[in-house]
Amino acid sequence: MSHPHPELTSPPPLADGALRVVGLGGLGEVGRNMTVFEHRGKLLVVDCGVLFPEDHQPGVDLILPDFGHIADRLDDVVAVVLTHGHEDHIGAVPYLLRMRPDIPLLGSQLTLALIEAKLKEHRIRPFTHAVKEGQTEQLGPFSCEFIAVNHSIPDALAVAIRTDAGLVLHTGDFKMDQLPLDGRITDLRAFARLGEEGVDLFCVDSTNAEVPGFTAPERDIGPVLEQLFGRAERRIIVASFASHVHRVQQVLHAADAHGRKVALVGRSMVRNMGIAADLGYLDVPPGVLIDLKQVDDLPEDRVVLMCTGSQGEPMAALSRMANRDHRISVNAGDTVVLASSLIPGNENAVYRVINGLARLGATVVHQQSAKIHVSGHASAGELLYCYNILRPKNVMPVHGEYRHLIANGDLAVKTGVPRERVVIAEDGVVVDLVDGRASITGAVPVGYVYVDGSSVGEITEADLKDRRILGEEGFISIFVAVDSVTGKVVSGPEFNARGFIGDGDDRFAGIRSKVEAALNEASTGPVDTYQLQQIVRRTVGTWVSQKHRRRPMIVPVVVTA
């Protein structure tokens, strides 16, 4: 296998007629999927998603791909192809379109409806073009054929990209559910046809590459929900992704079978399911769906609440219910079902919500206690099938953490793909397809772009480090006034602290005299307030570390008087 190297330099100019592939996100992480294809001076973008922050990124709302690689070439972008409507594939589109609003967006009907609703909130009117499986579109030098694939959201597509350099098949997120709820299976006949034509580069979903066997079908969830609904004595609250149409569909069927009404909770859930129902992707049994305002008028054993928050997101409906910060109060005897998997990095947040709900007396059912979730990604057995059907010349695993990419590459090798033809690339690594051979030729700078409130890209890693220190170690400020001529201390030092251990003002009794002595000793020449601030910071920092074994943020203020 080809492995990225930390010392990779900028890639050379692209050879005439070659194809360049650069992942700006989704390689080495689960989220913010975005791949840029370059050929004959033009760029094609496949997906443009977000990554959700973890506990060590306080205050961050979203993490975007780094658009720096294409920022000065936006006029060369012929289109953005969206494989499906999940946030980790479409969530960053509004931020890209802020840079050039007229970039054409291609995707299936449901995918485009979801992104158009999102863009409306950003006051952007996009240029969209709906495509279906079996359809081919010429986008500059890229001929894109769209292929039906099955996923945990309807209308997902893989895309076959034909260029002079060869044929690339990008799966997007997919699995091979043989009994899907909507009857729309992954089109293996099309895969086989492409295999006969010759796939030069196979970019394949890696999320479940470590999982042996085959991913269970979505309809396996139905009987489990039926049993849970049959046992529940009071209200049922089901949490899921706001775009998981198939899961909401099964909740609606189970509720209808047990005489319950369903209310959607959460703005994104209401919006997305409204779109899915209007377009015919969600079959709503007559009379089952009610407005949230009607819930209080019904007996508790006739109510189902379908909400967001299955990943422990702090502002989502379920988290707020667990914290008693929502109009819906969770009570003893209620049944709460977390109908999704744990995304890596979210475990602590999810378990906090589960514990909060349990304290309120609810029965909490999650993936570890019942089979109320199946994955939307192909497991190892399905990936092996794909490799054997396609017989690709080169393989580039995408969409997954580094261990997932490695596992996926190992599967390719087992089916006969030469190890040197399996390219393991991380975000920013440049892969060129030249004369039928894919290889790493360099790297471009990429980083995390943080959305923090209304700011985009203004928060740095240093800012996040400061926030972590403030949250974990506390804050100490020291005010000192010195004589403008002699530099001797004339007032202070005065200490102010937040989130720092100790008893009242006495906690700094041992350090005041040390700070004053250090400043007076340093005052031998012209007053340099910056130098004096550094002396205060070092003196207080050493004392805090030795006495309290802590490293709070220390902010010294030295003024002349």
Side-chain angles (χ1 to χ4, degrees), residues 326-457:
H326 197 277
R327 61 160 294 190
I328 302 295
S329 58
V330 176
N331 302 313
D334 289 345
T335 299
V336 181
V337 182
L338 275 70
S340 70
S341 64
L342 285 178
I343 291 179
N346 292 354
E347 295 90 348
N348 290 338
V350 173
Y351 289 133
R352 272 198 299 271
V353 171
I354 291 173
N355 287 322
L357 295 167
R359 285 191 192 97
L360 298 175
T363 299
V364 185
V365 182
H366 50 90
Q367 190 179 16
Q368 278 73 29
S369 60
K371 189 176 179 180
I372 37 74
H373 173 73
V374 298
S375 176
H377 303 271
S379 297
E382 292 149 274
L383 295 173
L384 290 171
Y385 261 79
C386 289
Y387 287 128
N388 285 327
I389 290 170
L390 289 164
R391 293 293 179 188
K393 297 185 180 73
N394 300 272
V395 171
M396 179 177 167
V398 296
H399 303 353
E401 296 181 354
Y402 197 79
R403 59 193 171 91
H404 301 137
L405 305 180
I406 291 289
N408 200 352
D410 288 341
L411 294 174
V413 171
K414 287 179 180 177
T415 64
V417 179
R419 190 167 287 275
E420 64 274 12
R421 295 294 186 105
V422 177
V423 180
I424 305 295
E426 292 183 283
D427 292 343
V429 170
V430 176
V431 177
D432 287 352
L433 181 64
V434 183
D435 297 328
R437 181 71 178 265
S439 59
I440 291 173
T441 58
V444 298
V446 293
Y448 280 2
V449 177
Y450 298 107
V451 178
D452 186 327
S454 59
S455 76
V456 178

Side-chain angles (χ1 to χ4, degrees), residues 23 85 103 108 117 123 180 196 228 253 309 405 489 530:
I103 298 176
S108 64
R123 298 179 180 176
E196 290 296 321
L228 291 172
H253 286 325
L405 305 180
V489 175
Y530 174 77

Side-chain angles (χ1 to χ4, degrees), residues 187-232:
D187 191 352
L188 296 180
R189 296 173 67 187
F191 276 32
R193 174 172 51 79
L194 293 170
E196 290 296 321
E197 182 179 338
V199 173
D200 295 286
L201 180 63
F202 187 31
C203 298
V204 55
D205 179 10
S206 306
T207 311
N208 270 3
E210 290 183 315
V211 180
F214 291 77
T215 301
E218 175 69 27
R219 65 178 62 241
D220 282 2
I221 304 299
V224 181
L225 288 174
E226 291 271 358
Q227 292 175 10
L228 291 172
F229 280 36
R231 292 199 305 262

Side-chain angles (χ1 to χ4, degrees), residues 32 48-54 57-67 87 91-96 98 118 122 447-461 463-464 467:
R32 66 174 197 151
C48 187
V50 296
L51 180 68
F52 293 102
E54 298 181 20
Q57 296 158 329
V60 173
D61 300 317
L62 298 170
I63 305 172
L64 307 179
D66 188 340
F67 300 142
E87 284 294 300
V93 169
Y95 301 94
L96 180 61
R98 284 182 186 181
K118 181 182 292 291
H122 288 258
Y448 280 2
V449 177
Y450 298 107
V451 178
D452 186 327
S454 59
S455 76
V456 178
E458 296 176 20
I459 298 299
T460 65
E461 290 292 344
D463 295 323
L464 292 182
R467 290 180 180 182

